[in-house]
Amino acid sequence: MDLKYPPSHYNLSSVMKKHQRLQHHRGKGRDEEYDASSLSLNNLSKLILPPLGVASYDQSRIISSGWIISPMDSRHRWWESIMVLLVAYSSLVYPFEVAFLRSSPKRTLCITDNIVDSFFAVDIVLTFFVAYIDRRTQLLVREPKQIAVRYLSTWFVMDVASTIPFNAIGFLITGTCKLNLTCSLLGLLRFWRLRRVKQLFTRLEKDIRFCYFWIRCIRLLCVTLFLVHCAGCIYYLLADMCPHGKTWIDAVPSIRHKSLYIKYIASIYWSITTMTTVGYGDLHASNTIEMGFITFYMLFNLGLTSYLIGNMTNLVLEGTRRTMEFRNSIQAASNFVNRNHLPPRLRDQILAYMCLRFKAESSNQQHVIDQLPKSIHKSICQHLFLPSVEKVYLFKSVSREILLLLVSKMKAEYIPPREDVIMQNEEPEDVYIIVSGEVEIIDSEIDERDRVLGTLRCGDIFGEVGALCCRPQSYTFQTKSLSQLLRLKTSFLIETMQIKQQDNVTMFKNFMQHHKKLSDHLRTQKDGQNDDVPPNIASNLINVVSTGNAALLDELLKAKLSPDITDSKGKTPLHLAASRGYEDCVLVLLKHGCNIHIRDVSGNTALWEAISSKHYAIFRILYHFLATTDPQIAGDLLYDAVRQNNVEVMKDLLKEGISVDTEDHHGFTALQVAVAENQMDMVNLLTMNGSDVVGVNTHEFRPLEKLRVVKEEERVSIFRGHPLERKSRSCNEAGKLILLPHSLDDLKKIAGEKFGFDGSKTMVTNEDGDEIDSIEVIRDGDKLYFMEQNNSENKRK
């Protein structure tokens, strides 16, 4: 990576380079600075997709250099186009010469044929210097020896055979210009060159600069006309080889003495009417040879027609289905661009992306990987991606087990030039590793124009700072050339880092050391400013705690970050760790001397956050840590619970063993504060848990009066008879639900009115038969039993 202005968190090998200066994009904005040549559709058609995981692939290799010619070179493609025209000439002229000029060849045509053959001879020589794409590796092979071996073992023999001038050789042997049958048959090897025409049409069908419909129509039309031309020439040749017999040309008066034009038109007329099965009958077979040829030709046409109607339909639809879908999507995208008047940069970005996606999908690489078993899938990913991942600074000295787990979840993507991979201020979702190509770092917020800060290359990683620090991306990352990237989900990276603590620490040490060196470089660039950590890392300490990553937290604190930094709500990292149950983070913060007493804007401490969130283990750690230095911490907690009228927290505090009568820093108990603030629910809870009522003394109310107010809202169920007696005889008589009065006498009076006896002469018991002689021991929801005094005495006797 080459940094022209070192951002705070990227490849340090390039950051350490001196004499790097700030560069601006050309123009005022990204649309004005756009370089159309980088996304030219002509150049895009020449791109070669490297295999997955290949890091050393360079797109500049498609340019010819030295003696080796690139098949993507524009000059070579022009040469191929010229050779296609020569193929068309030789394929059309040769049948005409054999049929119509067999006895008296034209000198001009002979010279032209020899010149055309010489072009093909030159092409054979040039082929030994043309690089080729290996179909197995998809790499451009430029080694001369490999090029020669491949050509000699494939098309060389046929290319030479189709280039040999058999007519000239026959003239040297026989001494006559008349074409003999042997030379004519050997000359048919020239039709081997037609494969060039097929390759040209195949390439044009996938080139979005040309209309697919018309290219396909021209191809089918050329095939039909060529077959008609060849059949007409052969039919005339059969008649010309029998000059003294009766032939089909006798139906045309004096045709033998007419011009070549008339003869050719008659032959083509017969060929078309026969191929289309019209057969007007004006030109028909007149001898056995002609009958045999016409029979063969009709059968051939019958099979050809059946094949065209039946199989060609499937071939065109299935074989070109993806191409047709691709062209339809290109057309839809073009209409969208025109309808919405999008700038040229966006137009070419859209088309380039769709073309690249089509190329990638055509190779079916990722599809093949996805459908394989998991074990094979992991082995393939290991073979393809592991070498690239091992180069990344973040994974240095990380165990192989973790690396294999990471590469098994990586996805390879091809990104066209000038494509934004990550946008500035975007939430971190993915981390990218560069396998091949280049990616630029762009700051879009400096002086309201885009500024290139540096270039990332093979082995670099980007997006990791935003992912590990849980903050939006600081810069835009845009591809400079065709790039192959490995994409990994941020969530999976974080989960994998948590598997082995040692590897987790190693990765974050790599992270901090990497950015520490960047900071040292920045410090020398900024007149001695002291920055020990990358910018913005300190402000994201709270975000690191929110992920529960204790290893990164420990490394950040070792880098002398303050553990007491607060957010907008006044919460420290300890507040977040305690509220979310991150015990490891709490221990790390305590180890680095964080301040436990800090309160947020709501007045809550980390200890309160732990107990209110029901993280009891963290509460005990913090409580015992504080209790040794602050004896009143328990009273302060009870005070906070009363102040917030949080009955649930009060119950949890009492369950944790805190004394109900503990005093706070002001010398007040929880019951005193609850009575003073008129929190009757809290008063009731405290008294039920044994709070000292006698010692309570407030300015306005006596405590017993306060407690009586609480009792007014309590309800009890009353029953007639002794509870044990009712239970023994299975008594189902319903009781009465009443509000608990202020005194026991009032309670007996109410019971007498409800059950119709003298309540003053009754005894009150609980469910176990124990006598109740004070209203203070009765609680809300208790079941009370009333027995008349005489009955109770009989029971005792």
Side-chain angles (χ1 to χ4, degrees), residues 16 21 91 133 152 197 216 245 304 352 363 451 579 590 662 743 771 775 786:
M16 297 306 176
R21 296 180 298 175
S91 300
I133 300 175
L152 290 173
V197 181
R216 192 69 183 174
L304 179 63
S363 63
R451 179 174 295 179
S579 64
L590 293 175
T662 304
S743 65
E771 183 177 358
I775 194 70
F786 295 83

Side-chain angles (χ1 to χ4, degrees), residues 424-428 466 470-475 540:
Q424 193 162 1
N425 298 321
E426 184 181 40
E427 290 297 326
C470 302
R471 63 178 174 85
Q473 303 291 346
S474 300
Y475 304 101
N540 287 279

